[in-house]
Amino acid sequence: MAEKSNLQIARASYQPKLPKALQGPVKAIEGAATQSVGNQAEIKELFPNTYGMPVVEFAQGTAAPSAKFNVGIILSGGQAPGGHNVISGLYDGVKALDPANKLYGFLMGPGGLVDHKYIEFTDALIDDYRNTGGFDIIGSGRTKLEEVDQFEKGYEILTELGIKALVIIGGDDSNTNACVLAEYYAAKGYGIQVIGCPKTIDGDLKNDQIETSFGFDTATKTYSELIGNIERDCNSARKYWHFIKLMGRSASHIALECALQTQPNICLVSEEVEAKGHSLDDIVSYIAGVVAARAAKGNNFGTVLIPEGLIEFIPAIKKLIAELNDTLATEEAKSVAREDQIEYVKAHLSPANLAVFNSLPADVASQLALDRDPHGNVQVSLIETEKLLSKMVGRKLAEMKKAGTYTGKFSAQHHFFGYEGRCAAPSNFDADYCYSLGYNASRLIACGKTGYMSVIKNTTAPAAE
Ligand code: FBP
């Protein structure tokens, strides 16, 4: 690593706090059997060896812990601030049990396990990454672990390295992979513990044990700082409406938390849009109404927060996308020349979906009709919702002007905040939380609990700064 700045040195010297129960010898207390929130019978059938494991809580013990084992770790999915601290917490925990214990990191996500690409962590490497953002210590990836061949290749390297437990840090998809892998290894009697560690800035991994997933605190603070700066700029120049899209495809937690921190003029919540069955026109009319009301007071500026996944929550658009996916999946559709695709789509859509399609700005309509992902589906994530909304609001305001219900000026700026916050240096909350998660995993391994999730209730973690 290059020479460190004073800030990096100060940050590296921060000692994350551990909950009391993890500060000395620990005692594992088994609680009630867990069960899935829904589809219990089906899930139990799919996971006969790992379903229903008890909750494990750690309390202060008496005997000084000691155990010999090697551990592997994988970072999976989107980056979240604090990932390096899960690793340093696990490293410190594993080494405290026996300095000869080794921690291996598989490179670039689950693919590293399958392709046998890994490194062994050392004191010097870990020290360089303590309390830093990013996942760059070993990299991350989104390879799905679902084939027996992948599980076996993983087993091969795990046995070669003498690894007793594998910790997978990831979101809902990655934790599903972890469960499938744990079940396979348990069914085969391979004796490898698989431990899932919940991570995502999106904040959509929540249950009684996980009040928040790591990274959410830092990411929302980072975005809120940027939004606050924009709001100040907005109040200073008094000439733009800022349309700000925020990451979080299947949940609006980030947008809502940032709204609570920054008090924008408008914050859309995808779940509310879905629950109330709002159309795109309802949303556009709502925003235009707020713009007009502010303009009436001479305020031709403001901020609008938009969750990344909004478009997929609008019931009418959801239906349109579903029909587009079906329409464009046929062999006939695939043979249509690109320049004729839009007309082909229009000729095949149901009247209701055609009306929605025709109401979209031309560039968005063609993006929906032309761009496919590798599975042949519409690439919704590529749609620039912030631009789509501001364009449609502009159109609506022009109509209102003609009708004499709006007299202001409307000029928009667009932003998408996501990657800016996913690798920020973790807040003290995330630094403590993540270090505790990693340390907790080492104790879980020491007491040999196969396939358990590594979780810490925030109530037992130190207070946030
Ligand atoms: P995870 O669910 O893996 O934590 O990732 C979430 C996320 O940060 C979303 O907010 C965003 O939609 C997505 O990742 C972007 O993914 P990519 O990094 O592949 O562009």
Side-chain angles (χ1 to χ4, degrees):
M1 237 190 194
E3 205 182 316
K4 285 187 178 148
S5 68
N6 287 341
L7 179 62
Q8 283 173 309
I9 293 167
R11 204 59 205 139
S13 69
Y14 175 74
Q15 180 53 49
K17 299 174 222 65
L18 279 175
K20 239 189 181 150
L22 291 180
Q23 285 172 10
V26 297
K27 177 169 77 181
I29 304 167
E30 288 200 357
T34 51
Q35 61 166 349
S36 55
V37 267
N39 306 85
Q40 283 96 353
E42 283 132 290
I43 296 179
K44 195 171 176 181
E45 210 181 314
L46 287 168
F47 294 87
N49 297 284
T50 47
Y51 185 87
M53 288 184 164
V55 169
V56 172
E57 273 188 29
F58 287 126
Q60 283 174 288
T62 44
S66 130
K68 276 191 184 306
F69 52 76
N70 295 340
V71 180
I73 193 160
I74 295 174
L75 290 165
S76 182
Q79 286 67 251
H84 290 158
N85 272 31
V86 180
I87 297 180
S88 61
L90 178 60
Y91 182 83
D92 290 351
V94 159
K95 292 284 180 187
L97 291 166
D98 189 322
N101 289 343
K102 291 179 179 164
L103 177 62
Y104 294 97
F106 290 98
L107 304 178
M108 301 310 293
L113 176 74
V114 178
D115 300 335
H116 299 187
K117 296 206 169 115
Y118 62 89
I119 54 159
E120 184 189 333
F121 291 106
T122 59
D123 289 352
L125 182 61
I126 291 286
D127 286 349
D128 266 344
Y129 285 89
R130 289 183 191 273
N131 308 314
T132 58
F135 279 5
D136 45 318
I137 190 168
I138 47 173
S140 184
R142 290 194 187 271
T143 305
K144 275 193 179 303
L145 291 178
E146 48 194 3
E147 309 285 338
V148 166
D149 186 45
Q150 294 174 309
F151 306 156
E152 287 294 337
K153 282 201 176 124
Y155 180 58
E156 217 175 279
I157 190 67
L158 294 172
T159 35
E160 191 182 313
L161 298 173
I163 289 175
K164 173 185 189 249
L166 179 66
V167 177
I168 300 182
I169 302 176
D172 50 354
D173 277 347
S174 312
N175 273 295
T176 306
N177 287 181
C179 287
V180 173
L181 191 69
E183 177 62 30
Y184 181 84
Y185 287 170
K188 287 275 176 182
Y190 284 170
I192 299 210
Q193 292 168 249
V194 180
I195 295 174
C197 176
K199 163 255 44 165
T200 179
I201 58 160
D202 292 0
D204 56 354
L205 260 181
K206 281 174 192 277
N207 59 34
D208 285 349
Q209 306 295 326
I210 311 166
E211 291 172 29
T212 186
S213 50
F214 80 72
F216 179 78
D217 181 67
T218 310
T220 52
K221 278 180 175 140
T222 307
Y223 302 140
S224 295
E225 184 179 349
L226 296 173
I227 296 164
N229 292 348
I230 288 176
E231 288 174 336
R232 261 267 150 77
D233 193 285
C234 192
N235 289 352
S236 309
R238 298 174 170 252
K239 60 178 179 183
Y240 294 127
W241 271 89
H242 290 266
F243 285 71
I244 306 166
K245 185 168 75 172
L246 290 153
M247 258 190 189
R249 236 182 105 171
S250 47
S252 306
H253 299 298
I254 292 180
L256 191 54
E257 174 61 26
C258 290
L260 291 170
Q261 292 188 32
T262 63
Q263 310 287 309
N265 300 95
I266 297 171
C267 174
L268 302 173
V269 176
S270 306
E271 292 79 354
E272 193 181 352
V273 165
E274 184 172 45
K276 293 186 174 163
H278 284 163
S279 65
L280 189 54
D281 188 57
D282 292 333
I283 298 169
V284 169
S285 301
Y286 168 68
I287 301 174
V290 175
V291 171
R294 282 182 60 75
K297 292 183 188 155
N299 296 328
N300 289 300
F301 58 93
T303 43
V304 185
L305 302 191
I306 305 153
E308 187 184 6
L310 178 79
I311 198 99
E312 286 175 88
F313 280 80
I314 299 172
I317 305 249
K318 213 180 201 173
K319 281 189 203 141
L320 169 65
I321 290 171
E323 194 176 2
L324 278 174
N325 282 337
D326 289 346
T327 308
L328 293 164
T330 62
E331 287 310 314
E332 184 188 84
K334 285 180 196 159
S335 67
V336 175
R338 195 172 164 86
E339 59 275 20
D340 301 327
Q341 283 268 346
I342 295 198
E343 283 318 309
Y344 179 84
V345 160
K346 285 186 177 178
H348 287 78
L349 285 177
S350 63
N353 284 336
L354 180 62
V356 176
F357 188 79
N358 285 335
S359 73
L360 297 170
D363 52 341
V364 175
S366 57
Q367 207 161 19
L368 282 180
L370 300 175
D371 295 329
R372 315 271 83 168
D373 71 7
H375 305 286
N377 293 323
V378 169
Q379 286 193 281
V380 186
S381 60
L382 293 184
I383 296 171
E384 294 173 304
T385 328
E386 66 285 21
K387 291 189 183 158
L388 164 71
L389 287 178
S390 85
K391 208 179 268 183
M392 294 183 81
V393 167
R395 247 162 39 183
K396 176 80 63 187
L397 289 169
E399 284 165 20
M400 289 164 72
K401 205 167 238 177
K402 267 193 203 151
T405 50
Y406 167 66
T407 50
K409 282 187 195 142
F410 177 72
S411 181
Q413 295 288 344
H414 308 104
H415 316 265
F416 171 35
F417 295 149
Y419 301 101
E420 293 81 350
R422 293 201 310 184
C423 286
S427 61
N428 284 358
F429 173 82
D430 275 327
D432 294 348
Y433 180 29
C434 290
Y435 187 82
S436 302
L437 281 168
Y439 203 91
N440 183 52
S442 73
R443 287 343 188 219
L444 212 48
I445 299 164
C447 65
K449 305 290 179 189
T450 297
Y452 282 38
M453 290 277 290
S454 164
V455 293
I456 282 210
K457 278 196 178 189
N458 283 343
T459 45
T460 60
E465 73 269 42

